Amino acid sequence: MTLDIEELNKFLYDANANGYASGENEFSPPQRPGFDEIEYRKGDWLFHDSYAGHYFAPGQEVAYYKNKPVWVMAYSGGMKERYQKDELFTKNTIVFLKKALLEMDPNLPFRGPKKFQYADWKYNSKVKGDTKDFIGNEKIYYQDQLVFEQNFIGGIII
């Protein structure tokens, strides 16, 4: 099977815009106990996002085409230790993260843009590679203080 990367990018864009960042499509009950899971379906495509934790929440996203896994991304990170246990600040950080994720680059539709700013918040993402094979890091700053950081890696399944 030859995977159309442009079609995959369009699906990932839709899935991410309608998944975690939108706050919708939570899957219940989860396939893995103790995890939060989000699913998005469109035609022959299925997107599944599964993560555990709150202040530090590693997880995995998988895109399926005709029930076959074709793309995967793993991520790990979250609130910097000094901000963990501050529920209100964490909630505000996640609200900002979701705003940034909705501004994703259609050519790199798996995390937010290179840079995004809103009021006192700044989001930066560095990606090496493309949808086929990538590694990256995202950071959130509040009033120029690093408050959130996450690493991610992934690509197509061959």
Side-chain angles (χ1 to χ4, degrees):
M1 174 183 130
T2 302
L3 186 63
D4 182 332
I5 297 300
E6 189 174 311
E7 186 179 352
L8 173 63
N9 277 346
K10 286 178 184 175
F11 173 70
L12 290 173
Y13 186 91
D14 287 346
N16 281 303
N18 291 286
Y20 178 76
S22 73
E24 298 178 17
N25 296 311
E26 190 166 317
F27 183 73
S28 185
Q31 293 175 347
R32 300 189 304 185
F35 280 73
D36 290 309
E37 296 184 334
I38 298 165
E39 244 184 39
Y40 176 77
R41 292 179 183 273
K42 186 173 185 181
D44 290 328
W45 291 92
L46 168 66
F47 179 82
H48 192 90
D49 182 3
S50 179
Y51 62 95
H54 181 63
Y55 297 104
F56 193 91
Q60 181 182 56
E61 296 177 356
V62 181
Y64 299 83
Y65 182 71
K66 295 185 177 179
N67 297 318
K68 180 181 177 188
V70 296
W71 180 90
V72 68
M73 178 179 77
Y75 53 88
S76 183
M79 299 299 293
K80 299 309 275 182
E81 190 171 351
R82 72 182 278 198
Y83 300 101
Q84 293 176 6
K85 308 296 182 207
D86 185 336
E87 184 61 37
L88 180 59
F89 187 71
T90 297
K91 179 182 177 187
N92 291 335
T93 303
I94 299 306
V95 166
F96 172 73
L97 172 62
K98 290 178 178 184
K99 284 181 195 280
L101 295 178
L102 288 171
E103 298 297 322
M104 74 192 110
D105 178 344
N107 295 312
L108 298 171
F110 38 86
R111 296 312 291 167
K114 288 180 182 179
K115 295 187 181 299
F116 177 74
Q117 186 169 350
Y118 180 80
D120 288 335
W121 297 90
K122 292 179 187 171
Y123 172 93
N124 294 331
S125 178
K126 292 183 181 179
V127 177
K128 181 179 177 186
D130 58 23
T131 306
K132 294 178 192 176
D133 181 21
F134 62 90
I135 187 167
N137 172 272
E138 64 187 355
K139 295 178 181 178
I140 294 176
Y141 297 86
Y142 179 72
Q143 296 179 342
D144 295 324
Q145 296 294 309
L146 179 63
V147 300
F148 176 99
E149 183 172 15
Q150 183 160 255
N151 296 307
F152 49 92
I153 187 169
I156 60 171
I157 298 170
I158 300 174

